[in-house]
Amino acid sequence: MVTMLLPELPPAALRLAIDRDALAANWRMLDAMSGQASAGAAVKANAYGLGVAAVVPVLRDAGCAQFFVAHWSEVAAVAQHVSAGAISVLHGPLTAADAAYAKALGVKPVINSLPQAQRWREAGGGLCDLMVDTGMNRLGLPMSELGDPAIAGLEIDLLLSHLASADEDAALNTVQLARWEEARRAVAHRRASLANSAGIALGAAYHGDLTRPGLALYGGIPRAEFEGRIAQVARPAAAILQVREVAAGEGLGYNTTFHAPAPMRVGTIALGYADGYLRCWSGKGVMLSQGRRLAVLGRVSMDMTIIDLSAAPDLREGDWVEAEYEPVAAAAQSGLSQYELFTLLGARFGR
Ligand SMILES: *Cc1c(COP(=O)(O)O)cnc(C)c1O
């Protein structure tokens, strides 16, 4: 490998515009909707694809004091911006190395099972969180094991559970609420937490001491109660790499699935499925330029997408367009969930 001084990287031809004011306002709204409880933040998966470096300082400055990641590999980036004690790792210590890492950094593991409780004690223990499974059957201590001595020996900050269907008015919500309350009576802890974004809208009984919104922070709308209260945060934008005039009958892109019905002016932009703009947007997506809607033509490729510039004759090579990416409408059009639309956004965006 050659070591050399690299020249400064030119700006990316692809950027994810993050509206920091909207992000802070969304956290404040969710904190207010959480009533007596404080809102924390789920910042796993690189803050749902928006970028930890852009997101975490804004949430911290807005007043957020508790952050959740899934993997141990996600801790370091968050710890650049907040104290390690404010970070919880949802997957918990799967190995002794995980537990040692948590001890060394001072982050809290979320204990999800008796073996994890044992592992944490063997690593020296200390403050941790406990996830109890109340009906989702995904990750967390079964209710039947709440009385185990290994759990009684833990020093628990947050007693957590997670709702399977908070985005619906499902009967399971009240079942999970009752089991979470039972767990709160059974296990000594400092604070209790149940609600994700959608769960915040289920009312005060679901709030406990701390809520854990993710999706709605980033502009997602999991339930009607959030409409008009949560603002769009993320806007993918790409530069036009090339402009061309195509003759009537010419085919565009891979497998030429689109043929120009008449002579038309088209642009190729630096955004493709490798960036999370999946092939489901082929012939369907829309780019925006000063209120004008520019249709995606033919197939989305790995690094590029061709768009119709008929409505924007002024646009040239190097100009920028923004993807229409309002989460509710984009999910309906693409068939992807709002969660997928965010977390797909790739590593090549300037953020
Ligand atoms: C991801 C996650 C959240 C956030 O959920 P949203 O639906 O995005 O608000 C909260 N709690 C846990 C345990 C999670 O895994």
Side-chain angles (χ1 to χ4, degrees):
M1 198 171 106
V2 183
T3 315
M4 57 178 278
L5 201 57
L6 293 170
E8 199 184 327
L9 198 63
L14 183 60
R15 65 174 173 246
L16 188 64
I18 305 288
D19 184 337
R20 287 165 170 76
D21 294 337
L23 176 63
N26 287 348
W27 183 82
R28 285 193 295 268
M29 173 59 71
L30 292 162
D31 189 58
M33 288 175 78
S34 299
Q36 303 279 24
S38 315
V43 295
K44 59 200 182 188
N46 197 24
Y48 285 42
L50 275 62
V52 160
V55 163
V56 171
V58 173
L59 297 177
R60 177 201 62 206
D61 294 346
C64 181
Q66 182 71 53
F67 298 84
F68 296 89
V69 295
H71 284 262
W72 295 97
S73 61
E74 298 178 315
V75 168
V78 179
Q80 302 256 308
H81 309 287
V82 301
S83 72
I87 303 171
S88 296
V89 183
L90 291 162
H91 282 1
L94 187 61
T95 64
D98 293 340
Y101 187 76
K103 282 300 280 184
L105 269 177
V107 301
K108 281 184 300 172
V110 175
I111 303 300
N112 293 288
S113 66
L114 293 179
Q116 286 197 357
Q118 186 61 27
R119 209 167 284 129
W120 182 235
R121 281 161 55 110
E122 280 164 8
L127 204 59
C128 63
D129 300 330
L130 178 70
M131 174 65 77
V132 179
D133 179 71
T134 53
M136 189 171 185
N137 290 299
R138 186 180 63 172
L139 183 64
L141 190 79
M143 293 290 291
S144 60
E145 293 175 359
L146 281 173
D148 194 283
I151 300 302
L154 293 174
E155 196 185 327
I156 299 168
D157 177 9
L158 287 163
L159 180 78
L160 307 166
S161 191
H162 191 56
L163 296 164
S165 306
D167 56 345
E168 307 174 307
D169 291 322
L172 183 58
N173 291 333
T174 50
V175 172
Q176 290 199 266
L177 174 62
R179 290 182 183 155
W180 174 66
E181 285 169 345
E182 189 187 330
R184 289 173 76 174
R185 289 189 295 270
V187 177
H189 61 280
R190 294 184 185 172
R191 301 180 292 164
S193 174
L194 177 62
N196 60 346
S197 300
I200 292 171
L202 296 179
Y206 289 80
H207 294 163
D209 303 302
L210 181 85
T211 59
R212 310 187 304 271
L215 185 75
L217 289 172
Y218 309 115
I221 311 274
R223 289 180 62 103
E225 290 89 338
F226 297 97
E227 274 163 24
R229 293 172 150 176
I230 292 296
Q232 186 173 351
V233 172
R235 292 186 169 79
I240 299 172
L241 298 171
Q242 193 174 27
V243 172
R244 60 168 23 88
E245 309 281 347
V246 295
E250 285 288 317
L252 272 59
Y254 279 121
N255 310 103
T256 60
T257 57
F258 177 86
H259 288 87
M264 63 194 296
R265 193 162 169 276
V266 305
T268 300
I269 63 171
L271 169 70
Y273 61 74
D275 306 301
Y277 198 72
L278 300 191
R279 281 190 8 156
C280 61
W281 292 112
S282 300
K284 218 194 251 186
V286 171
M287 297 293 144
L288 303 170
S289 169
Q290 295 162 353
R292 298 168 299 190
R293 298 165 54 80
L294 314 174
V296 167
L297 303 175
R299 291 227 161 114
V300 172
S301 10
M302 186 184 294
D303 318 301
M304 289 175 274
T305 295
I306 305 170
I307 60 172
D308 185 359
L309 293 182
S310 307
D314 53 305
L315 289 184
R316 303 271 178 274
E317 231 173 72
D319 287 342
W320 286 72
V321 295
E322 184 185 302
E324 190 174 59
Y325 218 70
E326 189 283 310
V328 175
Q333 279 161 23
S334 64
L336 300 168
S337 72
Q338 295 178 56
Y339 294 87
E340 291 168 300
L341 285 168
F342 291 134
T343 56
L344 279 165
L345 297 168
R348 297 193 293 198
F349 284 92
R351 282 173 168 88

